[in-house]
């Protein structure tokens, strides 16, 4: 539980960032490489070019994850905004930005009825 809290709250300027980043990257390294392989095989099999990927989920809040994925995948990497089609008060902007990645699937399911 302590590690999860540290992962969510660490900033690039924190003295412990390098150690936490190393642990984080090590735990995701294999999955990222497999994702790269799957994307490459899909592109070859279907004769298409995937230009970029969208990050979603709470794990994407880790600082620098977009850069790591960009280096591994050799594609543009962007964060999604789960609340882009939802109205909310302006004073909640910071909170929404913080929680949005964790709500992508739930909001997608909820908004599906309005498409």
């Amino acid at each position: 539980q302590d590690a999860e809290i540290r992962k969510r709250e660490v900033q690039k300027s924190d003295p412990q960032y390098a150690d936490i980043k190393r642990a984080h990257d090590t735990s995701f390294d294999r999955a990222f490489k497999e994702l790269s392989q799957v994307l490459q095989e899909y592109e070859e099999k279907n004769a298409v070019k995937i230009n970029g990927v969208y990050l979603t989920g709470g794990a994407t809040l880790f600082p620098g994850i977009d850069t790591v994925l960009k280096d591994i995948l050799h594609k543009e990497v962007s964060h999604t905004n789960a609340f882009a089609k939802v109205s909310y008060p302006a004073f909640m902007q910071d909170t929404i930005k913080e929680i949005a990645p964790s709500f992508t699937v739930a909001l997608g399911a909820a908004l599906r009825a309005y498409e």
Side-chain angles (χ1 to χ4, degrees), residues 98-112:
E98 184 178 321
I99 66 170
S102 299
F103 281 87
T104 305
V105 173
L107 277 169
L111 293 173
R112 192 173 198 174

Side-chain angles (χ1 to χ4, degrees), residues 3-26 28 32 55 57-71 77 79 97-98 101:
E4 181 65 23
I5 292 169
R6 290 174 121 189
K7 178 187 81 173
R8 289 178 183 260
E9 294 178 355
V10 70
Q11 300 295 319
K12 287 184 177 181
S13 59
D14 291 344
Q16 300 170 332
Y17 175 73
D19 292 333
I20 295 171
K21 183 181 182 328
R22 191 175 317 108
H24 179 272
D25 291 353
T26 300
F28 283 99
F32 291 164
L55 300 179
T60 64
L61 293 172
F62 188 81
I65 195 168
D66 50 346
T67 305
V68 170
L69 271 170
K70 186 175 183 178
D71 291 344
V77 176
H79 290 270
K97 186 175 180 181
E98 184 178 321

Side-chain angles (χ1 to χ4, degrees):
Q1 188 174 8
D2 183 47
E4 181 65 23
I5 292 169
R6 290 174 121 189
K7 178 187 81 173
R8 289 178 183 260
E9 294 178 355
V10 70
Q11 300 295 319
K12 287 184 177 181
S13 59
D14 291 344
Q16 300 170 332
Y17 175 73
D19 292 333
I20 295 171
K21 183 181 182 328
R22 191 175 317 108
H24 179 272
D25 291 353
T26 300
S27 64
F28 283 99
D29 188 50
R30 182 177 174 135
F32 291 164
K33 287 180 180 174
E34 286 185 27
L35 173 61
S36 178
Q37 183 178 350
V38 167
L39 289 175
Q40 197 171 35
E41 288 174 8
Y42 180 86
E43 288 176 328
E44 291 169 5
K45 181 179 178 182
N46 296 289
V48 296
K49 175 83 171 131
I50 297 171
N51 296 318
V53 297
Y54 292 97
L55 300 179
T56 186
T60 64
L61 293 172
F62 188 81
I65 195 168
D66 50 346
T67 305
V68 170
L69 271 170
K70 186 175 183 178
D71 291 344
I72 292 172
L73 301 177
H74 306 291
K75 301 191 181 306
E76 289 301 313
V77 176
S78 306
H79 290 270
T80 59
N81 178 2
F83 289 90
K85 295 182 179 181
V86 177
S87 296
Y88 54 85
F91 72 87
M92 291 185 66
Q93 181 67 34
D94 292 339
T95 303
I96 294 294
K97 186 175 180 181
E98 184 178 321
I99 66 170
S102 299
F103 281 87
T104 305
V105 173
L107 277 169
L111 293 173
R112 192 173 198 174
Y114 295 103
E115 288 185 354

